[in-house]
Amino acid sequence: MHTSPNRLGLLIIISSPSGAGKSTLARRLLGWDAEIRFSVSATTRKPRSGETDGVDYFFLSEDEFQRMVDDGRMLEHAQVFNNRYGSPRGPVEKAMTSGVDVLFDIDWQGAQQITRSQLARFVLSIFLLPPSIEELRSRLESRGQDSTDVIAQRMTNSWDEISHWSDYDYVLVNNDLDATEERLKQIIAAERLRRAQQPELADHVRRLQAEFEARK
């Protein structure tokens, strides 16, 4: 697909507790449509094995991160598990104005900041719930990415994340990845047709009005 110059991009926020499937579903959406691009976050945590600066994250020092916050160059930022994460504003606005949807894999704190920003009317926010707490723990353990202590910390924090479910436009229970993926696609396709996403409509209505007046 090509970008749509007559459409403004959506800011698609997907949030969930760790292990509920948001990262997997985000990757699937990126593969589904070239008009969706991932917002590369900045973080103060150290790179994991195989991660590339500027591709997976912008890896910053505490001082570099704070300067971006102070300069207003972060659309949102939050403290998560002793590290800082944020979304640089410039690339997001550039993509959005060129008709590209920007996908955010962020927690409720970041989502709240974006939905309260000047770009709020372009936001599409989606929260993913796990089918059960036991299934959530099982998914975290099966990933094999975190130590027992980290998994315990993520489980402790999962309810805090879940408690903000009602702040989102859409809430989906992720019982099945394939089914949830299809529902996400349907939501995005419909939201792209919102009036706020189609700035050319006002000009079209003015042309219709001119035609109508000319026929009198």
Side-chain angles (χ1 to χ4, degrees):
M1 278 187 190
H2 301 288
T3 55
S4 304
N6 293 327
R7 179 178 74 85
L8 293 174
L10 291 165
L11 305 186
I12 304 171
I13 296 171
I14 299 181
S15 301
S16 75
S18 295
K22 67 179 182 297
S23 296
T24 299
L25 287 164
R27 287 194 296 270
R28 291 191 181 193
L29 290 177
L30 292 172
W32 165 60
D33 192 338
E35 289 190 7
I36 301 175
R37 297 179 191 168
F38 195 69
S39 173
V40 179
S41 297
T43 182
T44 58
R45 77 161 172 78
K46 301 299 182 184
R48 294 172 180 159
S49 177
E51 289 183 329
T52 303
D53 183 49
V55 177
D56 299 288
Y57 287 93
F58 295 109
F59 295 100
L60 305 177
S61 68
E62 285 282 352
D63 288 344
E64 289 171 329
F65 194 102
Q66 188 59 49
R67 278 197 296 272
M68 290 190 71
V69 172
D70 293 341
D71 293 342
R73 290 183 286 141
M74 285 290 187
L75 184 59
E76 57 83 24
H77 59 95
Q79 185 90 16
V80 183
F81 301 120
N82 301 318
N83 294 298
R84 301 181 75 182
Y85 293 82
S87 301
R89 178 184 293 271
V92 171
E93 292 181 333
K94 182 178 180 181
M96 188 190 74
T97 55
S98 64
V100 172
D101 299 323
V102 183
L103 181 62
F104 297 84
D105 175 355
I106 55 178
D107 70 357
W108 69 269
Q109 298 174 76
Q112 193 174 79
Q113 290 177 60
I114 296 177
T115 55
R116 292 177 177 177
S117 75
Q118 294 180 342
L119 301 180
R121 68 193 183 101
F122 304 111
V123 170
L124 164 58
S125 62
I126 304 164
F127 195 89
L128 301 176
L129 290 169
S132 69
I133 297 300
E134 187 57 38
E135 176 65 18
L136 187 67
R137 176 182 290 278
S138 176
R139 291 177 184 179
L140 286 173
E141 292 173 342
S142 65
R143 292 193 313 191
Q145 292 181 349
D146 300 311
S147 67
T148 301
D149 289 344
V150 171
I151 289 175
Q153 186 178 21
R154 292 187 187 279
M155 289 301 299
T156 298
N157 285 277
S158 65
W159 184 251
D160 180 52
E161 190 77 31
I162 290 171
S163 70
H164 294 274
W165 68 274
S166 62
D167 295 336
Y168 289 73
D169 298 321
Y170 295 87
V171 180
L172 303 176
V173 178
N174 185 21
N175 288 302
D176 177 85
L177 274 172
D178 292 337
T180 303
E181 178 186 355
E182 288 307 309
R183 285 183 288 168
L184 285 173
K185 291 175 181 178
Q186 292 169 9
I187 290 168
I188 291 169
E191 290 288 320
R192 283 173 169 173
L193 299 177
R194 291 191 312 200
R195 181 166 55 84
Q197 305 308 122
Q198 302 182 74
E200 81 285 356
L201 287 178
D203 288 336
H204 182 71
V205 172
R206 280 191 287 269
R207 287 194 296 270
L208 292 176
Q209 183 180 18
E211 287 183 45
F212 181 78
E213 295 294 334
R215 294 173 66 89
K216 285 184 178 180

